[in-house]
Amino acid sequence: MTATTRTAPAANSATTSPGTSAATSALASAGTPLTTSLATPVTDSGGTRPVGPEQDLLDLGYRRCRALTRRHATTYYWGTQLLRPDQRRDVYAVYALCRLADDIVDEPARPGGPLPEVSDPAERLAAFSREFAGAVEAGSSPDPVLNAVVHTVRRRGIPMECFQRFFAAMTLDLTRTEWATWEDLRDSYMEGSAAVIGEMMLPVLEPLTPAAKEPARALGLAFQLTNFIRDVGDDLDRGRVYLPQDELRRCGADPWLRQVTPAWREFLAIQIDRNRQLYVEASRGVQMLPPASARCVGTALRMYSAILERIEHADYDVFAARRRVPGPQKAIIAAAALTSSARPRRTDSTRPEGQASTLDGVRTKVAEKVPLRVRRQPGLRESEPTWRDASPARIQRALRAAQGNDPGGWYVVGASRDLTRRASLVRTVNGTEVTLWRTASGQMKAGPGSCPHLGARMDGCATLDDRVVCRWHGLALPSPQDRRWLPYPALDDGVLLWVQLPTAGELPSPEPHLPVRPRLDRSISAVIATPGTCEPQDVIANRLDPWHGGWLHPYAFSHLRVDEHASTPDLLALDVTFRLGRTWGVPVRAEFTCPDARTIVMHIVDGEGAGSVVETHATPLGLDSLGRHRTMVVEATIAHSDRPGFQAARGMTPLVRSLMRRSAEQLWVDDLDYAERRYALRRLATLGARAPAANRRRAAMP
């Protein structure tokens, strides 16, 4: 069985992650046995927060945990993007520990780490569990990944007894290859490999009531049973069957035949029904979680249960290929969760039962139907200065955090609507020309911007089947006769076009970090592209300074307040009113995050248009004739609303899209002035610093 099928949450590959060898190096030490006590919670306040090299080690560990989760657990990773950043990193840490233990069991022939002489997987697993327990007791580990796990366990107060059960299940997995009944599988194995994962995650999800424990356990069981059903073929390759033997016999089904027979369909349908019942039990706990956690769990639940639908659509064939939920469908599911009412109901504890005000009820109904509010635009005297809040050091810290998010070599090169099948386009990325074209089936392709024959620029070229034809001499590319012209990885996500280029300091990733979006078939999207004389960091810095909104754009925003309690170094949460004239406005709650160093995303998380997204992408163009950096700002606005009137407005999409573009372009007139000024001042300071050095060199000449 792969790591995807043993522990919950799930994974999608058995490939060793960059963090695996580092974490398994902890096997060199045999610490104290697992303790049954509760890990002592440690807060980030006061003297307990790591500083200097300790913080660097911790940050490195969390980055590796995140990379490991993203690589091996893509479905689960999508759900976590709806959590606060501090919660996300704790989820990644718990997953990393489970993954590493799982790898020891799944790769018995490969010792790994610095101790090749420890070839027995049972010894390695025991050593790893002892080292983990010792590190928790000590409060840290020299290994980055294990250090991050320890930090999460202690800070969240996750009971060590949970890890005892987990490692016991992993040990059991080394010797048992089949299970007599569902109860045997559930109680003997899944209790420690799945249900307990739900218990580990609860402190991270911050439930509103202790009653959330049982639904969390049910969700862990549901996730793992889905893995068992999906990965039957992979498990057979390892000589394991995670299915109840008595039910297989009762249906006359034999998984070892690897054939879809009537008996197999009957058996798997029973397992899928059981799995769905577990998801129903788990769904009862969603309302027991705070909004962000509820959206996360709801998204993961929907994504994972969708795997069962894929299996049914494949006629219960889990032998020929692994059934996955496609990326676009994951985005739709995540967006649906984001826009659903995941927030638990609130009651007014100050009013006696049955004495709700009639006026309050009327106000509530009006507020639900009409998003406009009286928000008089403040004049200069009433406007509160925000320069104290917009601390340069604070903005710079947020920018440094954003620049630490690896884009994986991916760049936005335009809007999906820009590229047709009629002719190719050429875009410039960091001084490199890139050709874009569509195949006969509409798929986006990309390659070098010049023809390898005589260097013709490849824009405006016709396409033939899957190739683009040079206008000068008719050379169809890519050509098997010319290996100098090779395609680049490319992606059309339905709104934007992406291309991947080799980029210094960036580790190539299989796909760009796409933010959660609303359903495109129920939304209206608009994209603008505006060039500026600046670097990508200046565009991101502009968006990381929301305090300028009411001053630089008084025609668009007012009543802006950053929620310091909800904000973190990786997320800015704020309340703001979008202006509709001097009297009326639409109040919303927004969150800004940076999925990569060249992207910043605003999600409307509450209020009118909840689920709407504004993505700002900064693509470097290269240097101009004066040696100044040029950057293309590509901004995609994806508007969404659950109101019936919005769907009616979709019938006028061309007009609405034009208005959306005009509004965005107006804002970027001011925002580019901000970004370009920031760049000019930085460039001036750099040139000024170089001048004295040049003068000193001239003065030293004989």
Side-chain angles (χ1 to χ4, degrees):
M1 182 184 68
T2 66
T4 69
T5 59
R6 178 175 294 106
T7 57
N12 284 329
S13 169
T15 306
T16 303
S17 77
T20 301
S21 60
T24 52
S25 68
L27 298 177
S29 170
T32 57
L34 277 169
T35 169
T36 58
S37 64
L38 184 72
T40 305
V42 178
T43 66
D44 278 341
S45 61
T48 62
R49 183 176 179 82
V51 295
E54 293 182 9
Q55 184 63 43
D56 293 340
L57 179 69
L58 191 61
D59 291 342
L60 174 62
Y62 277 119
R63 286 197 300 272
R64 289 183 176 178
C65 290
R66 176 183 182 272
L68 192 151
T69 307
R70 182 175 176 83
R71 175 174 299 185
H72 299 293
T74 56
T75 298
Y76 196 78
Y77 180 87
W78 272 76
T80 64
Q81 300 312 293
L82 301 175
L83 291 173
R84 298 193 316 266
D86 65 303
Q87 291 176 298
R88 288 202 299 266
R89 69 175 189 171
D90 290 334
V91 170
Y92 302 151
V94 173
Y95 173 80
L97 178 78
C98 298
R99 174 74 199 193
L100 295 175
D102 221 22
D103 284 345
I104 293 174
V105 176
D106 270 345
E107 302 291 341
R110 186 189 62 185
L115 294 178
E117 67 273 10
V118 184
S119 58
D120 181 67
E123 292 181 15
R124 283 191 286 131
L125 183 63
F128 184 55
S129 69
R130 291 195 300 268
E131 177 63 13
F132 163 67
V136 172
E137 186 170 331
S140 64
S141 170
D143 178 81
V145 172
L146 199 54
N147 190 57
V149 175
V150 168
H151 184 257
T152 287
V153 171
R154 289 172 60 86
R155 188 166 52 86
R156 291 290 183 179
I158 303 175
M160 289 297 291
E161 180 268 339
C162 290
F163 297 100
Q164 266 193 314
R165 282 184 280 152
F166 168 73
F167 279 109
M170 294 298 97
T171 303
L172 187 65
D173 211 11
L174 290 168
T175 56
R176 290 199 56 175
T177 58
E178 62 180 38
W179 308 88
T181 65
W182 162 246
E183 291 74 19
D184 182 29
L185 176 61
R186 180 192 62 198
D187 301 338
S188 299
Y189 178 64
M190 296 175 70
E191 166 63 30
S193 63
V196 76
I197 306 298
E199 295 182 46
M200 292 179 189
M201 291 297 179
L202 268 185
V204 179
L205 297 174
E206 302 169 357
L208 303 175
T209 169
K213 179 178 178 179
E214 289 308 314
R217 287 171 49 82
L219 187 60
L221 294 172
F223 282 162
Q224 190 173 60
L225 183 54
T226 299
N227 293 336
F228 288 162
I229 295 171
R230 180 193 62 189
D231 297 334
V232 170
D234 291 340
D235 292 340
L236 291 174
D237 292 340
R238 291 174 169 81
R240 296 167 177 162
V241 179
Y242 292 91
L243 302 169
Q245 293 294 315
D246 63 334
E247 295 177 19
L248 282 168
R249 289 192 297 270
R250 192 177 306 129
C251 295
D254 184 358
W256 293 99
L257 295 177
R258 299 178 187 254
Q259 294 178 359
V260 179
T261 64
W264 176 255
R265 293 188 186 95
E266 178 187 357
F267 168 79
L268 212 59
I270 293 172
Q271 308 310 309
I272 289 176
D273 287 344
R274 172 181 288 142
N275 205 163
R276 286 193 169 123
Q277 182 56 42
L278 285 170
Y279 281 119
V280 170
E281 295 175 22
S283 67
R284 298 186 181 112
V286 174
Q287 291 293 333
M288 302 177 188
L289 300 172
S293 297
R295 288 191 292 266
C296 167
V297 172
T299 298
L301 189 154
R302 290 176 178 87
M303 287 183 184
Y304 244 80
S305 59
I307 294 174
L308 301 177
E309 298 175 8
R310 304 288 294 183
I311 293 171
E312 290 173 326
H313 292 162
D315 194 28
Y316 301 98
D317 185 359
V318 292
F319 306 109
R322 172 177 287 181
R323 305 303 168 185
R324 304 176 185 271
V325 178
Q329 186 179 350
K330 290 179 181 178
I332 291 171
I333 293 172
L338 184 65
T339 58
S340 67
S341 179
R343 192 180 302 273
R345 297 176 181 175
R346 298 182 180 180
T347 58
D348 187 352
S349 59
T350 62
R351 179 179 287 126
E353 184 176 353
Q355 294 187 16
S357 165
T358 302
L359 181 58
D360 285 348
V362 173
R363 286 172 176 166
T364 300
K365 290 181 179 180
V366 171
E368 290 174 350
K369 292 181 177 296
V370 183
L372 298 182
R373 300 289 181 273
V374 175
R375 291 285 194 275
R376 298 191 182 280
Q377 187 171 13
L380 182 60
R381 293 185 182 276
E382 295 80 34
S383 298
E384 183 176 352
T386 58
W387 63 270
R388 291 183 179 85
D389 295 321
S391 162
R394 179 178 184 172
I395 296 170
Q396 192 62 29
R397 283 195 302 272
L399 180 61
R400 281 198 300 269
Q403 290 178 316
N405 297 329
D406 189 352
W410 288 95
Y411 299 85
V412 170
V413 289
S416 298
R417 295 168 55 83
D418 294 343
L419 187 61
T420 69
R421 301 179 194 176
R422 291 192 298 272
S424 64
L425 298 175
V426 171
R427 295 286 188 260
T428 300
V429 178
N430 215 12
T432 299
E433 290 183 336
V434 179
T435 303
L436 312 175
W437 76 98
R438 291 197 186 277
T439 66
S441 63
Q443 183 182 5
M444 175 198 175
K445 296 285 187 178
S450 298
C451 178
H453 177 221
L454 289 177
R457 183 178 165 92
M458 296 292 292
D459 60 330
C461 297
T463 60
L464 181 64
D465 298 326
D466 292 345
R467 298 190 291 173
V468 60
V469 182
C470 177
R471 293 184 294 115
W472 283 15
H473 299 93
L475 176 60
L477 298 168
S479 169
Q481 287 77 37
D482 196 327
R483 304 298 296 172
R484 295 172 297 170
W485 201 96
L486 297 176
Y488 300 134
L491 174 70
D492 179 355
D493 66 19
V495 178
L496 298 171
L497 305 174
W498 299 76
V499 66
Q500 186 183 50
L501 298 175
T503 304
E506 296 184 14
L507 182 66
S509 60
E511 60 183 13
H513 304 308
L514 298 178
V516 174
R517 293 170 173 169
R519 286 179 52 178
L520 296 181
D521 63 346
R522 297 188 62 81
S523 306
I524 301 176
S525 63
V527 180
I528 66 164
T530 304
T533 303
C534 59
E535 293 182 272
Q537 64 160 299
D538 301 298
V539 175
I540 304 303
N542 169 267
R543 285 293 188 256
L544 289 173
D545 171 17
W547 297 277
H548 76 263
W551 287 91
L552 195 56
H553 313 294
Y555 52 87
F557 308 112
S558 69
H559 301 84
L560 188 150
R561 183 187 67 84
V562 173
D563 187 338
E564 301 290 356
H565 178 72
S567 297
T568 71
D570 299 311
L571 179 146
L572 271 172
L574 57 92
D575 299 300
V576 64
T577 294
F578 290 101
R579 298 237 49 87
L580 294 175
R582 299 187 60 84
T583 302
W584 298 93
V586 180
V588 301
R589 174 81 165 190
E591 292 179 352
F592 287 84
T593 56
C594 293
D596 68 62
R598 292 186 288 270
T599 301
I600 186 164
V601 180
M602 181 186 75
H603 280 104
I604 304 298
V605 297
D606 204 359
E608 176 62 20
S612 299
V613 177
V614 179
E615 304 173 17
T616 305
H617 304 270
T619 299
L621 299 176
L623 301 178
D624 65 10
S625 59
L626 299 178
R628 300 174 303 181
H629 287 85
R630 297 281 289 170
T631 295
M632 183 67 73
V633 178
V634 182
E635 188 164 275
T637 302
I638 306 172
H640 173 82
S641 175
D642 290 325
R643 297 181 185 277
F646 181 82
Q647 295 309 314
R650 293 189 69 249
M652 301 181 291
T653 291
L655 175 61
V656 176
R657 180 177 287 126
S658 176
L659 295 174
M660 290 168 62
R661 286 172 53 89
R662 189 178 306 171
S663 175
E665 287 167 349
Q666 182 182 11
L667 289 172
W668 271 106
V669 170
D670 297 328
D671 283 333
L672 263 183
D673 180 64
Y674 179 121
E676 290 180 331
R677 179 63 176 172
R678 185 180 186 275
Y679 170 73
L681 292 174
R682 188 172 67 257
R683 186 168 184 265
L684 186 62
T686 302
L687 294 175
R690 292 175 182 170
N695 292 336
R696 286 194 299 271
R697 286 195 298 271
R698 284 194 295 268
M701 292 180 181

